[in-house]
Amino acid sequence: MKRRTLIRGLVVGTTLGITDAALEVMAAARQRMDLALESSAIGPATLERWETTAFEYAHAYQTVPPHRLLADVLADFTEVQRLLEQRQPIRYRRRLCRVAAQLAALAGIFASALGAHREARGWFHTGRLAASEAGDNQLEGALTVRSAIVSLYYGTPASAHEQAARARHILGDTIGPATTRGLLVEARALARMGRGDEALPLLRQAEDAFGRLTAEDRDDPAFGHTERQFLWHLGNAWTHLGRTEDAWQVQRRALDLYPPTEYLDPTLIRLDRATCLARGGEPEEAYRTAAQALTVLPDEHRTGMVMKYATDFSRAAGHAQLPAGKEFAELLRA
């Protein structure tokens, strides 16, 4: 109250204009605010380094086993969390929140790959909070799509569809990688629910949207949407729509684009091919194809997601009494 009274007396105590003393008070107040808004525990170079860290992980996650990357991502996330707990300029805070959202997305992706789907959903929720704080609705929508993918693999198609539809609302009319992923997740969920008539228009929208992505968008496997990923997601939709020939063609194109150092997606594609064979009345060949997909996979890449996907194939394929079916069941138990 004394400070308020003093300032009021200096500023409004004269009708002849602002006094020198009043100007000094004004300048001091302004300068203190400038200092508060500009002070930071990090510099621009450090902040830029953090912004590139997430993209380095993004390009490694298809080739390096997820359990190796997860520990590093968590350590980096903790460092960013520490920086956010300190006083930062607003513009720096937003950029750090965006980095935190990206690292949370990666932690969720790795946790999902390892089979920890509940923890993955928690990380995607944390990422959405950070993306919202950063004012990045595209990243927030992308994290919602990622959560929908977890529901597609570990939950129910209805939940995946609901989350993907929510993501479309968050993303709005802007076309980006999250848009194409989200449309495909919606279509894949509808296909599994037997609502193929609703899935087909979404697939056409996804193909149109993918054609409008930038080269940069198509180069990032985690926060973008590469062509090989797009084709495998499209092939999965055709698989569950029962369009075996369309699925087979798209799967072949996708596999041709994956380098031999990437394991996760190609394995899931080969399991989709096995599903197509089973639905086409070739259960023996389906089990052999699925078994080969798992056999060539290095042990450290035989993650929870892969084994869940393989188990789901086995249940859908039926004919477990066949020799190939029994051998595949032994492979799952190994």
Side-chain angles (χ1 to χ4, degrees), residues 101-295:
Q102 292 171 332
L103 292 174
L106 290 164
I109 291 170
F110 301 152
S112 175
L114 292 168
H117 54 93
R118 290 185 181 86
E119 189 65 20
R121 287 191 182 95
W123 279 96
F124 292 139
H125 173 71
T126 298
R128 288 197 298 271
L129 293 177
S132 177
E133 185 76 7
D136 191 334
N137 70 310
Q138 291 299 301
L139 186 52
E140 184 181 356
L143 280 147
T144 307
V145 171
R146 285 291 183 178
S147 187
I149 293 173
V150 172
S151 294
L152 194 64
Y153 291 148
Y154 297 104
T156 65
S159 177
H161 175 259
E162 187 274 330
Q163 290 177 75
R166 190 190 316 152
R168 187 144 47 114
H169 176 73
I170 294 171
L171 293 166
D173 296 330
T174 302
I175 299 298
T179 306
T180 60
R181 283 185 187 272
L183 288 168
L184 287 174
V185 171
E186 274 195 83
R188 292 163 69 188
L190 288 168
R192 296 188 187 200
M193 296 162 67
R195 295 161 59 180
D197 290 345
E198 297 173 63
L200 290 174
L202 293 173
L203 292 179
R204 288 192 289 269
Q205 291 178 48
E207 289 181 309
D208 176 69
F210 185 78
R212 296 160 65 182
L213 296 185
T214 66
E216 183 180 358
D217 289 335
R218 298 186 187 203
D219 184 53
D220 186 344
F223 302 108
H225 204 185
T226 66
E227 183 179 3
R228 57 190 183 273
Q229 289 174 326
F230 177 82
L231 290 172
W232 115 246
H233 298 152
L234 181 61
N236 179 264
W238 289 133
T239 296
H240 288 280
L241 286 169
R243 301 269 290 265
T244 302
E245 290 186 9
D246 291 322
W248 198 268
Q249 180 181 5
V250 172
Q251 290 160 0
R252 183 170 56 248
R253 289 169 57 197
L255 288 171
D256 287 343
L257 292 175
Y258 276 94
T261 54
E262 294 194 17
Y263 295 100
L264 176 59
D265 290 355
T267 302
L268 302 183
I269 293 171
R270 293 184 177 100
L271 289 170
D272 275 351
R273 302 193 88 173
T275 299
C276 289
L277 288 167
R279 292 186 174 185
E282 300 181 63
E284 287 274 7
E285 184 62 25
Y287 277 115
R288 282 193 287 268
T289 299
Q292 184 180 17
L294 293 186
T295 302

Side-chain angles (χ1 to χ4, degrees), residues 302-315:
R302 200 172 291 185
T303 62
M305 178 184 287
V306 170
M307 301 311 292
K308 172 71 164 54
Y309 212 85
T311 301
D312 288 347
F313 153 75
S314 182
R315 289 172 180 164

Side-chain angles (χ1 to χ4, degrees), residues 80 84 92-102 130-131 133-134:
V80 173
L84 281 169
Y92 278 17
R93 180 176 175 79
R94 285 180 175 173
R95 289 170 67 180
L96 281 171
C97 283
R98 190 169 190 274
V99 172
Q102 292 171 332
E133 185 76 7

